[in-house]
Amino acid sequence: MDGKLVDWDDAKVHVLTHSLHYGLAIFEGIRCYNTKKGQAIFRLEEHVNRFFDSAHIFNMKIPFSRREIAEAIIKTVKSSGLKECYIRPLAYYGYGVMGVSPAGAPVNVVIAVWPWGAYLGEDGLKNGIRAKTSSFIRGHVNSNMSMAKVSGYYVNSQLAKQEALMLGYDEAVLLDTEGYVSEATGANIFIVRGGVIKTTPLTSILEGITRDTVMELARDAGLTVREERFTRDEIYIAQEAFLTGTAAEITPIKELDGRTLNTGKPGEITKKLQEIFFSAAKGQSKNKKHGRWLSYI
Ligand SMILES: *Cc1c(COP(=O)(O)O)cnc(C)c1O
């Protein structure tokens, strides 16, 4: 917390923490995987860069350098003693002022780490999840600055997630303001149709680092990837669909709105991409290029 290692039980904030009331906090979600050569943080540099980009979009000044944040992340993981973990850096406006403007409130930075397995369950990762098109939509591009990863946007995600869970689904797919598919509550979406992979272009979505990883892995495997808008019914008739995110990793979608996708089993391309993704993240890839994604601690 703010440059010091703090015991779990002492990691507390004041009730008048500005971000708690007004919703502006910048965060990241990063994973550390256990590899044969020790623990490695996946795409650390890209996550740290996005953390600073998110802050820049909101004119929030993080009182540390990129290098200090990257080093602090490594130090926090090391001190946790965890072999594999999820890492959550968060920059927020602390206690100081009340009112919409955070001017005068300090910018506090914390990094928390904890063990976190398959975000949508082991069964979801292996066999796919059931999703529902949400009645809630992703914010307009001039309402949400979607290039930023901001805690406040998760109010919208929670409405969608709550609705999906209440109706017995695992996850929600949100549409954009024009009705095209946007993303899930905290993950990007891909479909496969006629051997072509499509993913939402950068408009209403967060520019996922897993999305970028998967596009590169797919292209390297000789597959065609297009960043192109698509509609919910194209998911209904897609051969395969999956979600990507640091938490969700690559989670197959087996059903949307009560329509089973293809056979209802994770498709060949999805399974292949999962395999290459996990081998890259766990340092088992034979492709030397993938080594650049790993920061050994
Ligand atoms: C974090 C996040 C994602 C996934 O991004 P990754 O960099 O792959 O973890 C997708 N959508 C939203 C809204 C997110 O907050």
Side-chain angles (χ1 to χ4, degrees):
M1 292 181 88
D2 300 317
K4 289 192 200 72
L5 276 172
V6 175
D7 281 337
W8 186 271
D9 290 339
D10 300 326
K12 293 176 183 159
V13 297
H14 194 276
V15 291
L16 290 190
T17 294
H18 192 278
S19 295
L20 203 51
H21 296 257
Y22 301 104
L24 177 53
I26 301 301
F27 73 99
E28 270 307 316
I30 315 174
R31 275 190 193 267
C32 174
Y33 290 99
N34 201 12
T35 80
K36 269 186 271 171
K37 286 194 281 169
Q39 293 150 276
I41 298 173
F42 192 65
R43 304 199 71 173
L44 175 62
E45 190 184 335
E46 291 85 347
H47 282 284
V48 170
N49 284 338
R50 190 174 62 190
F51 190 55
F52 279 81
D53 286 346
S54 298
H56 177 69
I57 288 169
F58 281 89
N59 274 317
M60 179 193 259
K61 305 271 179 290
I62 294 180
F64 296 98
S65 67
R66 285 168 201 243
R67 199 168 153 184
E68 284 170 322
I69 295 294
E71 282 170 359
I73 288 169
I74 292 173
K75 195 170 165 187
T76 312
V77 171
K78 265 190 189 158
S79 75
S80 75
L82 295 167
K83 285 270 174 280
E84 293 206 326
C85 59
Y86 183 83
I87 306 160
R88 170 57 54 79
L90 178 84
Y92 61 96
Y93 286 108
Y95 166 63
V97 294
M98 289 307 273
V100 174
S101 169
V107 175
N108 295 117
V109 181
V110 301
I111 298 160
V113 302
W114 67 88
W116 211 0
Y119 177 68
L120 291 158
E122 279 300 333
D123 181 64
L125 196 63
K126 191 161 177 280
N127 300 313
I129 54 147
R130 298 176 55 244
K132 171 176 181 352
T133 304
S134 188
S135 71
F136 300 98
I137 60 170
R138 258 305 182 232
H140 186 273
V141 292
N142 286 319
S143 162
N144 281 1
M145 301 291 104
S146 43
M147 299 295 280
K149 198 166 172 78
V150 178
S151 59
Y153 299 170
Y154 274 75
V155 170
N156 172 251
S157 291
Q158 287 182 65
L159 286 168
K161 185 85 184 186
Q162 213 175 63
E163 179 185 64
L165 294 178
M166 278 189 311
L167 295 171
Y169 294 87
D170 306 307
E171 180 58 61
V173 170
L174 290 102
L175 305 179
D176 65 18
T177 47
E178 291 177 79
Y180 294 92
V181 172
S182 176
E183 60 181 337
T185 60
N188 297 121
I189 184 164
F190 284 73
I191 60 170
V192 182
R193 247 190 104 216
V196 172
I197 302 180
K198 280 193 200 177
T199 192
T200 323
L202 297 178
T203 47
S204 62
I205 62 161
L206 182 82
E207 185 175 15
I209 291 166
T210 319
R211 173 184 179 277
D212 177 73
T213 305
V214 166
M215 287 198 294
E216 181 173 328
L217 295 175
R219 284 177 177 141
D220 284 353
L223 298 160
T224 305
V225 183
R226 288 199 205 125
E227 292 173 77
E228 193 174 289
R229 295 207 289 193
F230 52 90
T231 51
R232 63 197 282 186
D233 56 349
E234 194 169 352
I235 306 181
Y236 298 160
I237 58 170
Q239 278 95 44
E240 306 181 29
F242 55 89
L243 301 177
T244 67
T246 299
E249 297 166 311
I250 300 178
T251 301
I253 299 173
K254 64 176 175 188
E255 180 193 317
L256 181 67
D257 304 338
R259 277 83 165 171
T260 301
L261 269 66
N262 202 3
T263 62
K265 301 229 161 32
E268 289 311 312
I269 292 177
T270 308
K271 283 196 289 190
K272 171 107 188 134
L273 289 171
Q274 279 184 325
E275 193 189 304
I276 331 178
F277 171 78
F278 283 115
S279 78
K282 296 184 181 185
Q284 293 155 1
S285 172
K286 284 183 201 80
N287 187 338
K288 285 216 177 68
K289 214 172 65 161
H290 300 157
R292 76 186 199 281
W293 287 335
L294 305 178
S295 297
Y296 289 93
I297 69 164

